[in-house]
Amino acid sequence: MGIEIMREKCVGCAACVKACPFNAISMKDGKAVIGPECTLCGACVKHCRFDAIEFERPRGKEVDHSSYRGVWVYCETRRGKLMHSALELVSRARELADELGEEVGAMVFGSGAPETFTVLGDHGADVVHFSSESRFDEYLTGNLAPLVSGLILKHRPGIVLFPATHTGRDLAPRVAASLAVGLTADCTGLAVQDGLLIQSRPAFGGNIMADIVSPDVRPQMATVRPNVFKARGGLGKKPDTFEVNLNEGMIDATVRIIEIVRTSKEGVKGIEEADIVISGGGGMKNAENFRVLEELAATLNGTVGASRVAVDAGWRPRSDQIGQTGKTISPKLYIACGISGKIQHQVGMRGSEVVVAINKDPSAPIFKVADYGIVGDLFQVVPALNEAFRELLGGG
Amino acid sequence: MRIIVCVKQVPDTTEVRIDPKTNTLIREGVESILNPYDQFALEEALRLKAERVDVKVTVLSMGPPQARKVLLKSLALGADEAVLLSDRAFAGSDTWATSIALSGAVKEMGDADIIFCGLQAIDGDTAQVGPEMAQLLDIPQLTYAERVSLTHDLKVRVEQQMEDGSRVLESETPVLVTCVPPPSFVPKVPPMPGILKTKSKPYKVWDSKKIGADPSDLGLQGSPTRVRRTYSPPPRGEVTIIPGDAREASRSLARILMDRNIVGGVD
């Protein structure tokens, strides 16, 4: 394990100096020299056109476990803003770290990073590693993967958690493979037992649960579903913050963003992050009728989702689709309106804490996975429900 | 241009049931299918092939000899050749060990321009094998691709699904793309002429030696993760049907949800 510049092959082109995310390579006497800042992330290797860098990736299996300490969280930001999942994961990391007697570390990147220190500390972070460069405001795998891998190699946390969002599920396996460690996807439960992280996750479309461990490698890594753990603030910690020493030259030019289309409204939580999701299916009959769901969502501060039938009919954008070919969500409350609830839909919403079904057909399968049901016409029930909540919540 | 499409044979999860006594999957009577995400990836690859004359599409799978079925289906849909990685040494692979084997096979095949994978397989739902392969091959990745196209200068363009919309990304080759079918996707049924042509197409079976992988990296032995136990998800209790007309039922339900702190409670 290690890295070395083969001096006889190095022509002094300095391509590796530019490629290093940590400014660890410098030129001396016309040859590249690797300094102590090197984290063995390997980002330089492919940039050398002369095969002058000899590199063997560190192997997770060969490590001394006792030197890996700390529970770390990759805190996702979008357009510079911290996602709620970051606070949920930091809160859970705090509980796990307390059991282990270790520290909580957070990684946060993007122009809004410095504004997150207080809230991350409030939820239990002891240490924050950050960069406030705007190049991280729009996620690109190639920008972040070497950086995150490098930080992990350098600081050796025992556990690293990522959100199971599109970004987290893109980044975490890339990082895990570069570290040659295991990764458990989409966890809905995390616990510590005999020093090992027990990672619980659904498989086979939620038909079975499995507890996964990574006994021989460090760090133990998992992606975790948003909305599974509660964000618990009020700890008032003042985290130590460390700005990542970034190299200006490290910009991955192989992948470019050509266009960005946002369909979600500013200020409304996406369906993965919402505590309350009110979802409509074939029974909605047309796009216009979704207004009754929007009204209830406004009262409850929730977000409107849709079944595949409603998306296929063009009533709602596909980013709102819940089910096997759409999103898998786990809100506190899921209200299914005019959704029959075939197994493919259940896959997407079964993780909800409480499920309410509103349907005309008492034999609709949705009632099999619901906690509460109202058999009736949704166009009468949903407005009545809205009215009842408005009265009880005192919103007038 | 060479395209490799990775496919997996999976049990149809909409049919899967758990034996309540043993907490294991009841596989009997459950049909094995081509993972729908992979079929979409294959159809995207074949669409690129239809647009250009010089594209060769190889389908690659790792699995038991029975996985032949999904490779034959892929050939019938229009792929040019098939490779099945089949060896007891691969048994029990987690996503890391699977990625080692598949990326080893990709390296063995030589210069691929685009590697297609389904975003995830419907049995494991991890979405990890694609990015792990991309890292092991040291090439960029484009994940959550709903549509794939080639630019005039042969860069790969994808429409990437994001939680809050979508993005168009462009990458140089070689690149690995993971595909997610749009809701409107209906998997094609192989046409009869395609089925007849499968016999004349190359079909290879490779073992672990062929890909030159370190045996300690493969199968259960090479897998850093272990399944400690499996169990049925906690069952939801019986549904409570709230009685009364729309107004009465709504009032009762609103009260229950507020009493349980599901609505209006403190987070």
Side-chain angles (χ1 to χ4, degrees):
Chain A
M1 162 175 154
I3 191 159
E4 210 175 327
I5 306 277
M6 324 268 283
R7 287 183 63 84
E8 66 281 7
K9 284 189 184 171
C10 178
V11 300
C13 72
C16 55
V17 176
K18 284 196 192 126
C20 175
F22 297 95
N23 277 325
I25 311 179
S26 56
M27 299 302 294
K28 202 176 167 192
D29 304 330
K31 306 274 180 190
V33 179
I34 297 177
E37 297 84 6
C38 175
T39 64
L40 293 176
C41 75
C44 53
V45 179
K46 70 175 169 195
H47 289 272
C48 179
R49 283 178 290 139
F50 305 95
D51 286 330
I53 307 176
E54 202 174 60
F55 175 59
E56 200 184 331
R57 279 195 188 284
R59 292 295 307 269
K61 281 184 195 175
E62 292 154 13
V63 301
D64 165 20
H65 291 180
S66 63
S67 69
Y68 281 72
R69 292 179 64 79
V71 184
W72 277 31
V73 175
Y74 168 75
C75 298
E76 185 178 356
T77 60
R78 279 187 207 157
R79 280 154 279 162
K81 287 212 182 88
L82 192 68
M83 302 292 289
H84 193 257
S85 60
L87 302 180
E88 297 162 15
L89 295 196
V90 168
S91 294
R92 187 59 185 154
R94 179 74 265 160
E95 293 162 351
L96 298 170
D98 286 344
E99 265 187 68
L100 292 162
E102 297 178 4
E103 287 198 329
V104 172
M107 294 178 272
V108 59
F109 308 101
S111 55
E115 287 144 45
T116 66
F117 298 160
T118 312
V119 69
L120 290 174
D122 204 46
H123 286 75
D126 297 298
V127 177
V128 180
H129 295 272
F130 76 100
S131 165
S132 50
E133 289 203 24
S134 59
R135 77 170 85 153
F136 300 116
D137 288 359
E138 194 56 47
Y139 173 80
L140 273 180
T141 321
N143 274 351
L144 271 178
L147 193 60
V148 171
S149 302
L151 280 171
I152 292 170
L153 280 167
K154 192 170 175 179
H155 297 280
R156 299 169 165 253
I159 294 171
V160 186
L161 307 176
F162 295 77
T165 56
H166 288 208
T167 300
R169 296 173 100 223
D170 180 281
L171 178 64
R174 185 96 199 182
V175 171
S178 86
L179 304 174
V181 303
L183 176 66
T184 305
D186 299 344
C187 293
T188 56
L190 294 170
V192 170
Q193 215 175 73
D194 307 324
L196 266 186
L197 182 68
I198 313 291
Q199 307 157 99
S200 308
R201 72 176 304 264
F204 289 93
N207 284 295
I208 197 163
M209 292 293 297
D211 285 354
I212 314 277
V213 291
S214 294
D216 303 323
V217 297
R218 291 296 177 275
Q220 306 162 86
M221 293 192 11
T223 63
V224 183
R225 288 243 176 100
N227 257 328
V228 170
F229 295 111
K230 265 205 160 74
R232 296 179 204 274
L235 298 178
K237 277 181 183 290
K238 297 271 172 291
D240 295 327
T241 58
F242 298 96
E243 184 156 13
V244 179
N245 176 16
L246 276 178
N247 187 327
E248 280 303 315
M250 191 211 61
I251 287 176
D252 189 340
T254 47
V255 175
R256 286 195 309 136
I257 300 170
I258 307 291
E259 195 190 337
I260 298 172
V261 183
R262 309 253 182 249
T263 50
S264 67
K265 283 179 224 141
E266 205 61 42
V268 175
K269 281 186 180 177
I271 52 172
E272 291 96 334
E273 283 226 317
D275 290 329
I276 297 179
V277 173
I278 298 141
S279 198
M284 297 305 297
K285 296 199 173 75
N286 60 46
E288 185 64 18
N289 285 337
F290 271 80
R291 189 185 294 171
V292 295
L293 304 193
E294 298 279 5
E295 283 164 5
L296 180 57
T299 304
L300 299 180
N301 197 15
T303 298
V304 174
S307 74
R308 176 169 176 168
V309 175
V311 172
D312 278 356
W315 303 337
R316 301 299 289 183
R318 67 181 57 152
S319 55
D320 289 354
Q321 189 196 325
I322 293 148
Q324 184 150 57
T325 50
K327 306 278 169 65
T328 303
I329 59 168
S330 35
K332 235 161 100 177
L333 173 62
Y334 185 76
I335 305 181
C337 309
I339 294 177
S340 66
K342 293 197 182 73
I343 185 89
Q344 288 85 348
H345 184 73
Q346 294 178 15
V347 168
M349 46 63 74
R350 169 143 60 183
S352 311
E353 195 179 323
V354 172
V355 174
V356 170
I358 300 167
N359 206 298
K360 273 199 290 206
D361 176 8
S363 64
I366 192 74
F367 288 114
K368 293 247 169 13
V369 289
D371 301 286
Y372 302 103
I374 295 181
V375 180
D377 181 357
L378 76 93
F379 296 109
Q380 288 173 16
V381 176
V382 177
L385 198 55
N386 189 22
E387 201 186 295
F389 276 123
R390 283 166 71 108
E391 257 171 50
L392 290 168
L393 290 165
Chain B
M1 168 167 270
R2 173 154 205 182
I3 296 178
I4 299 172
V5 185
C6 302
V7 300
K8 185 180 184 188
Q9 179 169 261
V10 294
D12 187 345
T13 52
T14 56
E15 308 269 316
V16 169
R17 289 291 170 271
I18 308 297
D19 183 329
K21 285 199 186 110
T22 60
N23 278 330
T24 50
L25 294 172
I26 303 171
R27 285 179 185 263
E28 287 84 58
V30 176
E31 205 194 341
S32 285
I33 57 170
L34 173 57
N35 177 37
Y37 289 86
D38 300 343
Q39 177 155 356
F40 175 67
L42 174 65
E43 290 188 25
E44 285 295 285
L46 293 172
R47 201 167 45 72
L48 300 187
K49 180 181 163 72
E51 286 165 11
R52 298 179 54 85
V53 284
D54 61 339
V55 177
K56 182 177 168 188
V57 175
T58 305
V59 275
L60 169 65
S61 188
M62 183 175 98
Q66 303 88 289
R68 178 184 171 87
K69 187 180 131 188
V70 298
L71 287 173
L72 290 181
K73 180 177 180 184
S74 305
L75 291 174
L77 285 164
D80 299 298
E81 60 166 9
V83 174
L84 175 63
L85 285 180
S86 201
D87 193 322
R88 290 196 66 110
F90 297 133
S93 294
D94 69 359
T95 64
W96 158 260
T98 302
S99 308
I100 290 274
L102 290 174
S103 60
V106 169
K107 283 181 198 159
E108 175 64 26
M109 285 176 201
D111 295 325
D113 297 287
I114 314 175
I115 296 140
F116 278 86
C117 298
L119 171 75
Q120 59 194 27
I122 59 169
D123 52 355
D125 298 317
T126 73
Q128 288 175 186
V129 170
E132 288 180 342
M133 281 178 73
Q135 173 64 35
L136 291 169
L137 294 165
D138 207 2
I139 60 174
Q141 69 196 42
L142 302 169
T143 57
Y144 285 91
E146 278 195 336
R147 191 178 167 79
V148 185
S149 59
L150 291 172
T151 63
H152 61 90
D153 54 348
L154 294 186
K155 286 183 178 143
V156 177
R157 228 174 229 221
V158 304
E159 200 178 308
Q160 181 183 51
Q161 188 193 83
M162 301 291 280
E163 280 105 341
D164 55 356
S166 63
R167 307 194 295 186
V168 178
L169 298 180
E170 189 180 276
S171 174
E172 318 210 349
T173 58
V175 62
L176 186 143
V177 180
T178 77
C179 296
V180 57
S184 55
F185 174 66
V186 180
K188 269 191 196 135
V189 176
M192 190 43 83
I195 295 169
L196 293 174
K197 270 188 219 154
T198 56
K199 282 202 181 109
S200 58
K201 290 179 176 174
Y203 184 93
K204 296 169 198 160
V205 180
W206 288 0
D207 62 12
S208 58
K209 287 191 198 80
K210 175 76 180 169
I211 59 168
D214 183 340
S216 69
D217 271 336
L218 298 175
L220 190 61
Q221 193 196 349
S223 297
T225 61
R226 288 276 180 278
V227 178
R228 191 170 255 198
R229 68 181 186 116
T230 58
Y231 48 100
S232 293
R236 231 170 243 288
E238 277 287 293
V239 60
T240 306
I241 299 289
I242 315 280
D245 64 20
R247 204 179 137 82
E248 288 159 7
S250 294
R251 282 183 158 273
S252 313
L253 177 63
R255 210 168 277 287
I256 292 168
L257 293 175
M258 289 186 67
D259 286 348
R260 283 190 59 184
N261 255 350
I262 301 295
V263 170
V266 232
D267 192 22

